[in-house]
């Protein structure tokens, strides 16, 4: 999972989480995942949106791009 701050002129700053799917046939429930994040993180650190991806982009050094 990678989290990025996205700035929208109308809404201000938002956290967007990009999640790599391990099992495409059984993606996690968004509401359930957000509920778990709310239990573990302060409210201002919980992403406002979750984006599922097949794979996160990786640089040649192995870091998330």
């Amino acid at each position: 999972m990678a989290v990025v701050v996205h700035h929208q002129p109308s809404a201000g700053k938002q956290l967007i989480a990009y999640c790599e799917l391990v099992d495409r046939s059984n993606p996690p429930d968004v509401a359930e995942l957000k509920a778990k994040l709310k239990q573990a993180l302060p409210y201002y650190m919980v992403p406002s949106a979750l984006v599922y991806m097949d794979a996160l982009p990786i640089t040649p050094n192995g870091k998330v791009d």
Side-chain angles (χ1 to χ4, degrees), residues 19-32:
C19 308
E20 186 173 337
L21 287 176
V22 176
D23 183 9
R24 289 184 51 109
S25 64
N26 189 19
D29 181 43
V30 174
E32 182 180 322

Side-chain angles (χ1 to χ4, degrees), residues 12-52:
K13 294 179 183 177
Q14 295 180 328
L15 291 177
I16 308 295
Y18 294 92
C19 308
E20 186 173 337
L21 287 176
V22 176
D23 183 9
R24 289 184 51 109
S25 64
N26 189 19
D29 181 43
V30 174
E32 182 180 322
L33 184 54
K34 277 193 168 186
K36 287 182 181 181
L37 289 172
K38 287 179 182 179
Q39 291 176 350
L41 298 171
Y43 75 94
Y44 59 88
M45 294 181 74
V46 176
S48 58
L50 299 169
V51 178
Y52 293 127

